Amino acid sequence: MFEKVLVANRGEIALRVMRACKELGVKTVAVYSLEDADTYPVKYADEAVCIGPAPAASSYLVAANIIAAAKNTNADAIHPGYGFLAENADFARACADNGIVFIGPAPESIERMGDKSAARETMKSCGVPTVPGSDGCVDTAEEAAKFAKEVGFPVLIKATAGGGGKGMREVHQPEELEIQYKAARLEAGAAFGNDSVYLEKLVLRPRHVEIQVLADNFDNNVSLCERDCSIQRRHQKLIEEAPSPALTDEIRRAMGVAAIKAVRATDYKNAGTIEFLLDQDGRFYFMEMNTRIQVEHPVTELVTGTDIVKEQLRIASGEAMSCAPRAPFAPFGHAMEFRINAEDPDYNFRPCPGTITVFEAPSGPGVRTDCYVKSGSKISPFYDSLVAKLIVYGQDRQEVIARAKRALQEFKIEGIATTIPFHLKVLENEAFNKGTFSTDFLETQMGEM
């Protein structure tokens, strides 16, 4: 196991990784921007290094500064968390070039799966179902129109790089295509520095279901069941749960087998997530792979008894994962995660940075809160609006819903607007309670928010 790990991130995920390190007896180094100097993760770490001013482009995205901080503190490894440089193959390669272990997959795996068009072709070649799509990138609006005519509308334009819904546009009518094609490329270029896009047939009213995988260097490849991430707003996840209320045991097994095929086909190591679309007839299709830890990993931890961050550390240090002998996994109980963001759902989820005057997290049986703030903490306008993650566990879905209502009602955050009222409304929704929702839940069940 490592002696010292630098955590190249901030906020909730930085603290989550540091706590896993402490339990394994590993010292930690925090890196921080001037904006984050007084945050709890910086104080929690054994050492801390300032890497630049507030903008992420001048701090958390400057690989050279992070590598220098690791070398100056004699860190053995770097954990990138999620976001920022977590899926940056050049950063992973720079770590290796400087004798530092990158806690994640090899750069080649990041590149192979990071390009969504190339990833689709890889999945097709190993027998993983994919949505009908273009052969590689679509370079002109005319090419896009030709493909759409062949497969039929609606279609989905998708950036080949990045994620989070950036560079993604639904097109339902031919006359919309050229405008949406140009808009997708502009957004992709601005967000990722790569404006390449490809097209897929749009699957109507799908579920978004993903499989958590772990793979080590001893040929252990494990599927840790699924997470349902269908409650979204503009492709941004808001509520996640495990297991999915939409999956039968047969579909669960088939999806797990497909995920392991993907892992083996790419010689993938460490933690990753294979994301699928599930249609109304129970057919599923590969969507993309996230080559990092996910925001929603706690729901999988609760229903499988696996600490995914600790497994990442074990795998990267050259050990076998501790959970391998227990595979394959069947979920026990039920869990949901609610993203508490500094956003006002009454005003189209407008960001609400500011100072938290009161912060009182709920407690009690089956309630976990992953956060990095307290009363007096500042939510910066420079970064993601995530304040906390409320994760609730119970014997079954009904108990989790009842427990989540209680916990959200007890969750007290003042000084900023949050998404807590939105989550409480979702829990009162009939379709949500029946588990019959899809990715268009907000538009069809709650109106555009």
Side-chain angles (χ1 to χ4, degrees), residues 129 131 156 158 170 200-211 226-232 235 237 239-248 251-252 255 274-288 296 334-336 397-398 401 426 429-442 444-445:
V131 178
L156 186 64
K158 297 178 72 173
E170 293 183 8
E200 287 181 348
K201 175 69 176 174
L202 179 63
V203 180
L204 295 174
R205 304 205 67 224
R207 301 289 284 243
H208 180 152
V209 181
E210 59 191 30
I211 300 288
E226 83 280 0
R227 295 185 290 256
D228 195 314
C229 307
S230 302
I231 304 297
Q232 310 177 356
H235 306 289
K237 302 168 187 174
I239 299 172
E240 303 96 352
E241 64 179 299
S244 169
L247 262 59
T248 62
I251 297 173
R252 179 173 294 112
M255 201 174 276
I274 315 294
E275 302 197 348
F276 295 100
L277 290 178
L278 178 72
D279 71 16
Q280 299 294 305
D281 298 317
R283 295 184 295 257
F284 61 88
Y285 308 95
F286 172 81
M287 183 166 56
E288 63 185 27
E296 59 273 19
H334 203 95
M336 288 185 187
R397 194 168 189 269
Q398 290 68 38
I401 288 174
V426 171
N429 180 272
E430 182 179 1
F432 181 82
N433 278 271
K434 288 181 177 179
T436 57
F437 51 87
S438 57
T439 54
D440 62 357
F441 174 83
L442 263 69
T444 62
Q445 298 295 324

Side-chain angles (χ1 to χ4, degrees), residues 27 42 63 73 80 96 105 161 164 176 205 230 256 288 315 322 340 345 352 405 445:
K27 293 187 180 299
V42 175
T73 56
E176 303 171 3
R205 304 205 67 224
S230 302
E288 63 185 27
I315 293 167
S322 66
I340 312 301
C352 291
K405 288 180 183 178
Q445 298 295 324

Side-chain angles (χ1 to χ4, degrees), residues 91 115 125 139 201 271 295 360 366 370 397 400 405 408:
F91 178 62
D115 185 308
S125 69
D139 296 324
K201 175 69 176 174
V295 179
E360 296 177 7
D370 285 12
R397 194 168 189 269
V400 169
K405 288 180 183 178
L408 286 163

Side-chain angles (χ1 to χ4, degrees), residues 93-320:
R93 196 170 283 115
C95 288
D97 291 344
N98 284 275
I100 301 166
V101 176
F102 178 80
I103 301 175
E108 295 76 18
S109 294
I110 297 173
E111 287 173 334
R112 190 180 299 122
M113 301 310 291
D115 185 308
K116 295 175 187 175
S117 178
R120 274 176 41 83
E121 295 308 308
T122 301
M123 293 302 101
K124 286 169 67 176
S125 69
C126 68
V128 175
T130 58
V131 178
S134 58
D135 293 326
C137 299
V138 176
D139 296 324
T140 66
E142 289 74 23
E143 286 182 39
K146 181 180 178 182
F147 170 82
K149 185 176 181 180
E150 290 173 357
V151 300
F153 287 90
V155 296
L156 186 64
I157 304 169
K158 297 178 72 173
T160 62
K166 297 289 193 301
M168 188 180 296
R169 292 289 190 279
E170 293 183 8
V171 184
H172 294 265
Q173 301 294 335
E175 56 269 23
E176 303 171 3
L177 184 64
E178 184 173 357
I179 293 173
Q180 297 293 1
Y181 173 83
K182 291 178 179 177
R185 293 196 66 166
L186 281 171
E187 187 175 52
F192 313 122
N194 179 352
D195 70 349
S196 297
V197 298
Y198 66 101
L199 266 69
E200 287 181 348
K201 175 69 176 174
L202 179 63
V203 180
L204 295 174
R205 304 205 67 224
R207 301 289 284 243
H208 180 152
V209 181
E210 59 191 30
I211 300 288
Q212 175 73 58
V213 294
L214 288 170
D216 64 21
N217 293 296
F218 299 88
D219 202 30
N220 296 310
N221 302 294
V222 176
S223 164
L224 294 178
C225 310
E226 83 280 0
R227 295 185 290 256
D228 195 314
C229 307
S230 302
I231 304 297
Q232 310 177 356
R233 175 180 176 270
R234 297 178 184 173
H235 306 289
Q236 294 279 5
K237 302 168 187 174
L238 297 170
I239 299 172
E240 303 96 352
E241 64 179 299
S244 169
L247 262 59
T248 62
D249 288 341
E250 182 181 7
I251 297 173
R252 179 173 294 112
R253 283 192 296 271
M255 201 174 276
V257 167
I260 295 302
K261 281 184 180 179
V263 169
R264 289 177 174 154
T266 56
D267 194 28
Y268 190 88
K269 308 299 179 189
N270 214 268
T273 302
I274 315 294
E275 302 197 348
F276 295 100
L277 290 178
L278 178 72
D279 71 16
Q280 299 294 305
D281 298 317
R283 295 184 295 257
F284 61 88
Y285 308 95
F286 172 81
M287 183 166 56
E288 63 185 27
M289 183 176 188
N290 292 131
T291 56
R292 53 172 168 77
I293 193 76
Q294 296 269 93
V295 179
E296 59 273 19
H297 73 275
V299 294
T300 299
E301 294 185 325
L302 290 177
V303 300
T304 62
T306 303
D307 188 315
I308 297 171
V309 177
K310 284 185 181 177
E311 297 298 349
Q312 285 191 290
L313 292 161
R314 290 188 181 102
I315 293 167
S317 68
E319 299 177 14

